Amino acid sequence: DKVIEVEFAQKSFKYYLTIQATGLHNIHTARMNISGMYTTAFLTNDDHRMNEAGTQTVDLQIIHTKPTSAEELGKGELYGEFWSFGPNQRGDIVNSITLYFINGDVITMKLKDLTSQIKTLTKGGEIIVEEHIEIKGPPGGFQPGVGDWDDPTDIEIIL
């Protein structure tokens, strides 16, 4: 009998981040794009193609802090996690994070440059975001109402 030994090695790694925010009551969806990440890994030696730098889209969880006053309404944090083959290590590749908030319109924010920190996380880990963001604007989404409806109309249904 022949025995084949197989060794499994992790090729993709978990990254996660938390962003402190105010104005969360103004949005109903949050996403982010992170650029400059590898899109592949060679199975035999963990190497990467140095000319690849993909962008990943991540859904962010909106976590509201329970307000104890009107000033605290909309405070909380955004949490996101994703799996990646790691950040591209070429010096000319920037790892940027852009946030997208949806409230009927799309609000876009780009975080301060986190390239040097992200490039050190070759095997996953926490991306520390010290920046506090504020989302301004009226609450969005569908706001149903009946004030503009016409008077009721009776329609006879024939059976």
Side-chain angles (χ1 to χ4, degrees):
D1 288 334
K2 291 185 179 185
V3 175
I4 299 174
E5 290 187 28
V6 177
E7 180 180 330
F8 291 100
Q10 186 172 351
K11 303 293 182 194
S12 66
F13 305 96
K14 182 179 176 179
Y15 292 83
Y16 56 97
L17 57 87
T18 303
I19 304 166
Q20 299 300 315
T22 55
L24 293 176
H25 61 295
N26 294 326
I27 61 170
H28 62 78
T29 303
R31 292 193 174 99
M32 74 169 211
N33 282 351
I34 180 165
S35 67
M37 304 302 280
Y38 286 125
T39 58
T40 61
F42 293 112
L43 295 176
T44 55
N45 60 7
D46 293 339
D47 281 344
H48 305 276
R49 291 186 180 100
M50 292 308 289
N51 63 344
E52 69 179 26
T55 299
Q56 290 182 255
T57 300
V58 180
D59 287 327
L60 298 173
Q61 182 180 0
I62 302 169
I63 304 168
H64 294 274
T65 303
K66 184 176 181 181
T68 57
S69 67
E71 292 82 32
E72 291 184 0
L73 180 67
K75 286 187 177 182
E77 58 190 25
L78 301 166
Y79 176 80
E81 58 184 47
F82 62 97
W83 289 82
S84 174
F85 295 113
N88 189 304
Q89 295 298 306
R90 268 186 21 205
D92 63 329
I93 303 246
V94 175
N95 300 101
S96 65
I97 295 178
T98 305
L99 304 173
Y100 299 93
F101 305 109
I102 301 167
N103 70 345
D105 293 324
V106 177
I107 301 166
T108 303
M109 283 185 201
K110 189 168 185 174
L111 294 181
K112 293 178 183 169
D113 188 12
L114 298 168
T115 299
S116 59
Q117 179 198 158
I118 292 171
K119 285 198 186 297
T120 64
L121 300 172
T122 58
K123 303 265 188 215
E126 182 178 12
I127 300 170
I128 308 291
V129 179
E130 295 180 2
E131 191 173 350
H132 179 96
I133 63 166
E134 182 177 355
I135 305 159
K136 296 182 179 182
F142 180 62
Q143 305 292 330
V146 294
D148 294 336
W149 287 11
D150 292 333
D151 291 332
T153 304
D154 292 329
I155 299 173
E156 186 177 329
I157 299 175
I158 301 171
L159 298 176

